[in-house]
Amino acid sequence: MNIRDNIQKLRNEINEHNYRYYVLDDPLISDVEYDRLFKKLQNLEKENPNFITPDSPTQRVGAPPLEGFGNIKHRIPMQSLANAMDTEEILAFHDRLIRRLGEQRIIEYIAEPKLDGLAVELVYENGKFVNGSTRGDGTTGENITRNLKTIRAIPLALRVEAHSAPALLEVRGEVFIRKDDFNKLNKQQETNDKPVFANPRNAAAGSLRQLDSSITAKRPLSIFCYQAGVIEGISFETHSEFLKELKNWGFPVNPEIKILKGIAEAITFHSDLESRRNSLPYEIDGSVIKVNNYALREELGVRSRSPRWAIAGKFKAQQETSVIEDIVLSVGRTGAVTPVAKLMPVKVGGVVVSNVTLHNQDEIDRKDIRVGDTVLVQRAGDVIPQVVKVILEKRPTNTQPFKMSNSCPECNHDVFRPEGEVVARCQNLSCPAQVKRRIEHFVSKNAMDIDGVGEKLIDQLVEKKLINSVDDLFSLTVHQLSELERMAEKSAENTINAINNSKTTTFHRFVHALGIRNVGEHGAKVLEKAFAGNIEKFMKTNIEDLETIDEVGPIVAETIVTFWLDETNVNIVNNCFELGVVLENNQKNLDQIFIGKTFVFTGSLETITRNEGKEIVEDRGGRSAGSVSSKTDYVVAGENAGSKLKKAEELGIPVLTESEFMDLVK
Ligand code: IVH
């Protein structure tokens, strides 16, 4: 095969995996395998730049910044939707339709979640993505083509032979950020000293309207498509047929969409969706109920701003008001000082909220939040509760703007906020609050996993100066503990036993426990592999070596080297070893019988969890993947195994029972 064909074959393969992932939600390969294919294509194109085409999946990385966006006029205006505030208003909508049609009949509706994101229009000519725009004022939007290209879920070419693609296809949809992606993004913003986003919608809007598309490329944007603009070359009788074809063409379509016979079913859909609202992975603010039949839509027509054939059924707000009783400062493990509002407890979205982070001084200034203020509080599903705004009309007289103090609330040491950064940090490494948080982290479940050493005990130990750093834990005695409040001899013994038992641990648990900035649990595992479990080597590493490790970037490399340059850290670690901490080298001790083998665990297992299964495989040099593909070597199937087992059978991959797997291990 010549290079050009080879490149095209790779592109097709990658596009197909995109489709399986974003549209069918049924990936065939793991992320790592995907990345490998992608890298291969990138390399081939780098060597043969004349074969690069605009619809190659590699062309999604972003382009040089623009001065401003151009405009794009929508061929058909992008209208908005009329709202129904409750089920009565949904019924009234149906009644209006019946009156217009002049006869009582059961109308077929199609209902969908109303996503809280940004509407966009995507234009395809002869099957190729040519441009895309925001809704703008409904008539003209901004040309955000370059940004839209970075969203992997948007096909750059339709999944059809070019000759059978419609000459023109306009697809409309909503760009949004999933709740889990949003929380991750905000954490990242905080780590990088960047302002946090108020909610997923703002984050999506800010990301889509970036003049520098390489920033957009780094944002976790998703899309669901739900509407047609102009289509030339093919026509549809119903919306459901159109959506089916959209999916075939490669567009993500919301799997929650349902065809409903009559308004009663539509109302049930609406109520059911509202009750599941918090458990959906993305934010929605209602349902959209649309007439399914296009001829009927024509007959009903549109008003100036919204069509007559659709209605947005709104949900109850997930916002409440409450009063800020106090603003306190809390000090984290890395010394970051965060202002937290103490609220009069209020139930929002079914959960009582009494503490809300205000993030930093800039946020407080921007929203002008003061003690005594009545504020609008928002909580949506898994999204961290937040203060949306102050209700100024309710501000008592004599309030003062809140200024974070320049000294640490715990140790009075200076708090320093570098120029241009938003996070203020207590500079005192032996600040008791920092020490406490570091120890809490050190003993936590996924770190050293020391049972019985909780917050209250740590508070006492630090206050009584029995421990100053994590290594001191290992020289505590039963006698010392039993002198503490609420600590009987027996529980003192148990605690010391738990501490002693934790001493035999692994490289990744120990390194994770140290709390090196930017090195989390996963990072520690990556380092364990890279250093073959050798902590001495890790302690003497340098930036160049670190940067050769997959998944370790320059920032992480620098924080690691800086961490080891600090003698205090080296001493603490050496002390731990002197006091009996042993890192079992699970990489060396076990026979590496699974090198090069990939396992997939599915169904419910009896004697081990799937996570433990994964660990068993990884400890023996193998890999564990989340989905079955031709590259899977074994599938271990427990009770009620579903689609993965089926796929393994289809692909002829050996399937093991749990006990067969355990036999292999023995
Ligand atoms: S249909 C003419 N379907 O709601 C109707 N809109 O208020 C075109 N939206 O601008 C829109 N989810 O941003 C439709 N499943 C959905 C939607 C949806 C969210 C947004 C969209 C639109 C606004 C209308």
Side-chain angles (χ1 to χ4, degrees):
M1 206 189 293
N2 65 28
I3 293 176
R4 188 199 213 117
D5 290 346
N6 219 341
I7 289 182
Q8 196 49 47
K9 191 171 153 260
L10 252 178
R11 283 182 192 154
N12 291 345
E13 209 177 319
I14 290 171
N15 285 336
E16 200 55 24
H17 287 307
N18 259 348
Y19 171 70
R20 298 220 47 129
Y21 186 87
Y22 291 106
V23 181
L24 301 185
D25 191 18
D26 182 22
L28 278 182
I29 58 173
S30 67
D31 292 358
V32 181
E33 285 166 305
Y34 179 91
D35 292 343
R36 223 177 280 145
L37 284 179
F38 198 85
K39 191 109 215 144
K40 199 162 143 198
L41 176 61
Q42 266 179 330
N43 288 340
L44 271 177
E45 287 184 348
K46 206 157 145 199
E47 287 158 18
N48 306 281
N50 48 325
F51 291 150
I52 300 180
T53 58
D55 64 351
S56 169
T58 57
Q59 301 305 299
R60 294 186 183 271
V61 286
L66 291 172
E67 295 280 320
F69 296 115
N71 287 333
I72 290 188
K73 196 164 172 351
H74 305 301
R75 289 182 179 84
I76 302 178
M78 289 179 79
Q79 289 194 307
S80 71
L81 292 165
N83 290 330
M85 301 318 286
D86 51 35
T87 47
E88 259 166 51
E89 291 190 16
I90 297 180
L91 266 179
F93 155 75
H94 174 74
D95 288 345
R96 281 198 298 276
L97 297 198
I98 295 297
R99 241 179 288 129
R100 268 206 167 252
L101 296 171
E103 56 169 346
Q104 195 65 31
R105 61 168 122 166
I106 293 187
I107 296 178
E108 186 170 82
Y109 290 106
I110 182 159
E112 350 186 322
K114 186 166 191 295
L115 297 153
D116 201 7
L118 280 105
V120 297
E121 177 163 81
L122 311 169
V123 182
Y124 292 79
E125 285 172 10
N126 301 313
K128 297 259 187 279
F129 178 56
V130 289
N131 66 53
S133 53
T134 60
R135 176 163 175 258
D137 62 4
T139 310
T140 310
E142 283 173 317
N143 181 344
I144 52 163
T145 310
R146 286 145 54 111
N147 294 353
L148 289 167
K149 276 182 85 173
T150 68
I151 303 177
R152 275 212 230 151
I154 295 179
L156 298 178
L158 305 187
R159 292 181 69 250
V160 287
E161 296 292 325
H163 63 265
S164 53
L168 175 66
L169 169 69
E170 292 180 347
V171 175
R172 293 163 180 187
E174 199 85 352
V175 171
F176 60 97
I177 293 187
R178 293 166 51 106
K179 293 173 192 168
D180 53 351
D181 285 333
F182 172 75
N183 285 335
K184 255 187 261 166
L185 175 64
N186 258 357
K187 245 190 219 135
Q188 245 171 42
Q189 291 285 107
E190 269 185 69
T191 318
N192 297 337
D193 280 320
K194 299 252 172 65
V196 292
F197 297 101
N199 52 51
R201 192 188 177 282
N202 281 10
S207 306
L208 252 197
R209 299 198 60 262
Q210 279 287 340
L211 290 168
D212 182 351
S213 54
S214 67
I215 298 181
T216 314
K218 292 193 193 104
R219 300 280 169 78
L221 295 168
S222 303
I223 187 168
F224 277 132
C225 297
Y226 50 63
Q227 169 93 356
V230 177
I231 305 182
E232 283 169 12
I234 181 167
S235 63
F236 301 92
E237 279 184 16
T238 60
H239 189 53
S240 45
E241 273 173 27
F242 166 68
L243 293 177
K244 202 165 146 207
E245 191 65 11
L246 264 190
K247 221 174 137 176
N248 280 337
W249 278 330
F251 297 93
V253 173
N254 196 321
E256 300 286 342
I257 297 180
K258 267 213 178 98
I259 300 176
L260 304 158
K261 298 247 178 295
I263 199 66
E265 283 190 21
I267 289 174
T268 309
F269 175 94
H270 174 80
S271 317
D272 172 63
L273 196 62
E274 180 157 21
S275 70
R276 292 191 299 120
R277 174 184 194 177
N278 283 339
S279 56
L280 290 178
Y282 40 81
E283 289 203 334
I284 60 173
D285 54 1
S287 61
V288 185
I289 300 166
K290 305 173 181 178
V291 168
N292 193 22
N293 187 289
Y294 283 165
L296 198 51
R297 286 191 184 185
E298 277 295 310
E299 198 178 333
L300 291 163
V302 298
R303 288 170 295 235
S304 66
R305 298 197 40 220
S306 56
R308 286 202 190 84
W309 43 261
I311 192 99
K314 291 288 200 170
F315 293 153
K316 281 176 229 74
Q318 298 206 314
Q319 295 183 332
E320 284 300 335
T321 56
S322 181
V323 176
I324 296 191
E325 294 179 325
D326 198 4
I327 298 178
V328 300
L329 299 182
S330 115
V331 184
R333 172 156 66 81
T334 58
V337 181
T338 310
V340 179
K342 296 279 174 192
L343 295 179
M344 207 186 289
V346 60
K347 210 165 179 182
V348 195
V351 172
V352 178
V353 176
S354 51
N355 291 323
V356 180
T357 172
L358 301 178
H359 301 290
N360 52 57
Q361 183 70 54
D362 286 4
E363 277 289 295
I364 295 180
D365 294 346
R366 211 165 48 75
K367 294 180 179 159
D368 187 17
I369 298 169
R370 305 180 182 191
V371 174
D373 269 341
T374 299
V375 289
L376 191 62
V377 185
Q378 175 172 295
R379 191 196 150 267
D382 313 328
V383 172
I384 299 158
Q386 55 184 321
V387 169
V388 180
K389 62 170 187 183
V390 172
I391 306 193
L392 285 176
E393 294 74 16
K394 295 205 173 164
R395 173 169 283 171
T397 45
N398 297 330
T399 59
Q400 297 296 320
F402 180 84
K403 283 279 165 260
M404 281 170 66
S405 123
N406 285 331
S407 53
C408 172
E410 300 272 345
C411 71
N412 267 328
H413 226 271
D414 286 350
V415 166
F416 178 63
R417 178 181 163 187
E419 261 312 296
E421 292 193 6
V422 289
V423 179
R425 285 179 207 279
C426 163
Q427 299 296 301
N428 173 14
L429 277 181
S430 21
C431 163
Q434 285 186 53
V435 174
K436 286 176 193 170
R437 299 294 99 73
R438 281 201 290 269
I439 295 169
E440 278 163 23
H441 173 76
F442 189 78
V443 302
S444 64
K445 189 105 197 98
N446 295 336
M448 296 295 280
D449 191 16
I450 309 182
D451 245 4
V453 182
E455 243 175 76
K456 294 231 165 68
L457 178 60
I458 295 174
D459 279 354
Q460 289 193 67
L461 291 170
V462 174
E463 270 148 34
K464 297 224 152 68
K465 299 212 172 358
L466 289 172
I467 43 181
N468 291 311
S469 50
V470 295
D471 50 327
D472 293 339
L473 271 173
F474 299 113
S475 44
L476 288 172
T477 63
V478 174
H479 178 71
Q480 280 174 323
L481 290 192
S482 55
E483 306 241 290
L484 298 175
E485 270 168 49
R486 271 177 293 170
M487 186 57 103
E489 180 88 14
K490 187 70 201 149
S491 43
E493 261 170 38
N494 288 344
T495 305
I496 295 294
N497 280 340
I499 293 175
N500 285 337
N501 288 339
S502 77
K503 286 182 185 168
T504 304
T505 183
T506 57
F507 177 109
H508 73 257
R509 276 185 178 277
F510 184 69
V511 169
H512 172 48
L514 292 177
I516 305 171
R517 264 176 93 184
N518 305 319
V519 176
E521 196 184 347
H522 177 72
K525 285 188 181 162
V526 169
L527 293 166
E528 177 169 52
K529 273 234 161 76
F531 288 92
N534 186 331
I535 190 97
E536 290 83 17
K537 227 169 103 195
F538 176 52
M539 290 169 76
K540 295 200 186 85
T541 185
N542 55 47
I543 300 227
E544 293 75 49
D545 285 351
L546 284 166
E547 284 195 10
T548 62
I549 304 171
D550 252 1
E551 297 191 65
V552 175
I555 295 176
V556 178
E558 197 187 316
T559 34
I560 291 174
V561 171
T562 316
F563 185 86
W564 292 126
L565 277 179
D566 186 336
E567 235 167 87
T568 325
N569 294 328
V570 176
N571 288 338
I572 289 174
V573 168
N574 284 334
N575 236 350
C576 286
F577 295 140
E578 266 163 40
L579 293 166
V581 170
V582 177
L583 305 189
E584 273 200 333
N585 199 336
N586 46 9
Q587 326 249 328
K588 277 185 202 147
N589 287 354
L590 297 169
D591 280 345
Q592 301 291 289
I593 50 173
F594 292 149
I595 281 184
K597 299 282 181 239
T598 302
F599 284 74
V600 173
F601 291 88
T602 181
S604 50
L605 306 174
E606 273 177 10
T607 57
I608 51 169
T609 65
R610 267 182 293 192
N611 249 342
E612 283 162 352
K614 180 172 176 219
E615 214 163 287
I616 293 176
V617 168
E618 285 175 352
D619 286 350
R620 289 161 179 78
R623 288 159 41 83
S624 152
S627 55
V628 177
S629 75
S630 57
K631 299 197 179 85
T632 310
D633 294 290
Y634 296 101
V635 170
V636 182
E639 281 288 295
N640 299 323
S643 62
K644 291 181 192 172
L645 175 58
K646 209 170 125 220
K647 191 168 297 157
E649 282 162 354
E650 278 166 20
L651 295 174
I653 291 163
V655 177
L656 304 176
T657 63
E658 184 177 345
S659 69
E660 284 168 336
F661 170 70
M662 293 313 273
D663 283 346
L664 270 188
V665 175
K666 273 182 217 139

